[in-house]
Amino acid sequence: MDAGAGKTLLTSLGNGTLISAVVGFGQTLITASASQRALVTPVIEESRRAMEDLSAEYRSLNKEFFPTHVFEATTDPDPAFNRVLMTDLDATRQYFFRGFSGRHAAARLLLSRTERELRAVIADPRDAGAISGRARYLLRREAGGVDLEDIQSRLDEEIHIGLAGLFLARGRCAQVDITVIADPPLDRLEMFDDSVWVTLYSDIRGATKLYPRTLRFTAGSFLYNMERAEFLRVSQARSGRQFRITPATTRADFLALFEKITGSALTPEHFRELEDKFHAFRAEFSAAAELGS
């Protein structure tokens, strides 16, 4: 346009419009940023904190109620199961065992190179009802021609072998406290300083397998604290009979102790027979579980 009042008017209007647009755009950016800081950012932070709290709660629940390891029922010893359990055993100061005969506990002690205190709760061989639950469990695995009395006789011998094994393992322990009870729980319990292992003989789904399903829980979990309190209650109950083996216990002392526990006299010849059977069991178990010798 030619110079004049019209061009001057349009230039003024254009400059004002441009300045207004720039200022408005800047105000919009400032307003949007302030709105985000005032509204969106706190919501994001609150959501993040809520998710962190929820994750922490889930982790706490997992530690409290869920096992760290689950080993399914097997017919043969599981090497992975035994490696993890032996790692826990080697790192523990106290070893609590609640089971039927204590053969496996004695075998594990002889495979370990550290000293600890063992407390064992086993079935009372003088009470027929003490072994009936395990006998029925084993009967479900056997063929139809197997007699219950034959299984009970076999279980009696396992208890005798287990007692001999605990005596032979006394050098690996500061002391071995044994409690025999008439109504032992069917499930086996092995407790260490940092974990507890529960072998579910009561789980009928694994009744056809020799080694039932086993769960491992860490110390501080609900199961650990519950099982520890229950074990101490049972091992100190007046209804049970308590005995102690120490590294200073002689063979003659053990023969007298064996008669008190089982009600049957143990001759030196019979003891050597039990000793041979335990070492044969230990060698077979160690090889099958890949635990060395």
Side-chain angles (χ1 to χ4, degrees), residues 51-196:
M51 290 299 297
E52 289 178 350
D53 292 343
L54 187 61
S55 297
E57 184 176 354
Y58 276 130
R59 285 194 297 269
S60 176
L61 288 174
N62 285 340
K63 182 179 179 181
E64 194 77 11
F65 297 103
F66 293 93
T68 60
H69 296 72
V70 177
F71 298 94
E72 297 299 336
T74 60
T75 301
D76 300 313
D78 182 355
F81 164 89
N82 286 286
R83 281 194 300 269
V84 178
L85 194 149
M86 288 300 295
T87 299
D88 286 354
L89 174 62
D90 289 336
T92 195
R93 182 179 58 87
Q94 286 188 324
Y95 178 22
F96 292 175
F97 176 87
R98 187 193 68 209
F100 182 74
S101 67
R103 292 183 307 159
H104 290 86
R108 294 188 193 283
L109 288 171
L110 286 174
L111 291 169
S112 178
R113 295 293 183 267
T114 57
E115 185 181 75
R116 63 191 49 80
E117 175 188 342
L118 171 66
R119 296 187 184 185
V121 175
I122 61 175
D124 190 344
R126 299 196 308 182
D127 192 310
I131 62 176
S132 59
R134 182 60 61 88
R136 290 193 300 271
Y137 173 85
L138 294 176
L139 188 63
R140 292 195 294 267
R141 297 183 54 255
E142 301 289 349
V146 177
D147 186 69
L148 181 61
E149 291 184 1
D150 294 336
I151 295 178
Q152 289 176 330
S153 298
R154 188 199 316 166
L155 293 176
D156 277 333
E157 184 177 52
E158 286 184 6
I159 295 176
H160 296 173
I161 294 172
L163 289 172
L166 292 175
F167 169 73
L168 296 172
R170 69 195 186 283
R172 295 284 196 271
C173 302
Q175 64 187 43
V176 178
D177 290 320
I178 303 173
T179 301
V180 293
I181 58 177
D183 54 346
L186 190 57
D187 294 334
R188 185 171 67 203
L189 176 78
E190 294 181 81
M191 178 171 289
F192 310 103
D193 291 348
D194 298 322
S195 64
V196 60

Side-chain angles (χ1 to χ4, degrees), residues 11 43 46 67 108-109 147 164 177-179 185 205 217-218 276 288:
T11 301
V43 172
E46 187 64 27
R108 294 188 193 283
L109 288 171
D147 186 69
D177 290 320
I178 303 173
T179 301
R205 293 174 297 177
F217 297 86
T218 57
D276 291 341

Side-chain angles (χ1 to χ4, degrees), residues 262-273:
T262 65
S264 302
L266 181 65
T267 64
E269 294 77 14
H270 189 201
F271 173 78
R272 285 192 292 270
E273 181 182 345

